[in-house]
Amino acid sequence: MSTTALQGLPPVIGRETRLLVLGSFPSVASLQARQYYAHPRNHFWPLLSALWGVDLVGMPYRARLAEVKRRGLGIWDVYASCRREGSLDSAIEAGVPNDLAGLRRRAPKLEAVAHNGGESARAMAVTRTLGVEVMRLPSTSPANASWSFERKLAAWREAFAAHGLA
């Protein structure tokens, strides 16, 4: 196990954020690129592209983030830092949580938190204290191979539509 703590990415949250997708911690590919969901087989950006009818995958990263914020979506992770070999959530050790309790200050219009997968959902006890809807969505990770893209899309579409984002 690595003894060096890995540092996560800054939140993509604006004053207009209504729905926050909360992951666990960035993958190795995401940390190297300094971009959320940078692994080419992660379904996050293709799912949003399908939901919104916009080719986010083909856009520069900054433009993706601008589109996300424009539509009222936020992106962040449960952990600010941790130790981990590889990218699997099961390998996370010594996780230091982000300031989830402070989300209401950062996003006063927040209506819901959507946990992206199981490791993120472990923080539901914290996110439920925010007084917003809290849900668990199927992970967009390539490790979640038991869910097809179409099945993930249906679950994500339902959550996004409930908050006016699809």
Side-chain angles (χ1 to χ4, degrees):
M1 177 57 59
S2 173
T3 57
T4 304
L6 302 170
Q7 298 300 311
L9 300 174
V12 178
I13 298 173
R15 308 253 342 134
E16 302 300 316
T17 298
R18 297 188 314 277
L19 174 64
L20 174 69
V21 171
L22 195 60
S24 55
F25 192 76
S27 68
V28 170
S30 292
L31 291 174
Q32 288 173 344
R34 301 296 302 156
Q35 297 181 4
Y36 280 101
Y37 303 104
H39 191 286
R41 289 197 336 264
N42 192 294
H43 284 156
F44 182 81
W45 295 111
L47 282 171
L48 293 187
S49 293
L51 287 171
W52 294 339
V54 175
D55 181 15
L56 294 169
V57 176
M59 285 183 184
Y61 185 68
R62 281 182 184 261
R64 289 183 201 180
L65 297 186
E67 185 70 13
V68 160
K69 288 175 87 171
R70 185 183 76 74
R71 291 180 179 261
L73 182 65
I75 307 169
W76 207 15
D77 286 312
V78 167
Y79 299 114
S81 66
C82 70
R83 291 192 331 259
R84 183 188 64 201
E85 289 291 329
S87 294
L88 293 177
D89 283 349
S90 59
I92 291 174
E93 290 187 357
V96 175
N98 273 312
D99 178 21
L100 300 179
L103 276 171
R104 298 299 291 199
R105 286 189 314 276
R106 290 175 178 255
K109 295 183 180 179
L110 188 67
E111 299 172 2
V113 173
H115 289 274
N116 186 355
E119 181 63 28
S120 171
R122 290 181 184 205
M124 286 177 116
V126 175
T127 55
R128 283 191 178 118
T129 67
L130 297 172
V132 300
E133 181 183 351
V134 176
M135 66 196 89
R136 176 181 171 176
L137 291 176
S139 174
T140 60
S141 167
N144 183 19
S146 64
W147 282 65
S148 68
F149 179 84
E150 292 73 23
R151 190 172 166 210
K152 289 177 189 179
L153 180 59
W156 281 64
R157 178 173 279 125
E158 183 178 335
F160 275 50
H163 298 282
L165 274 79

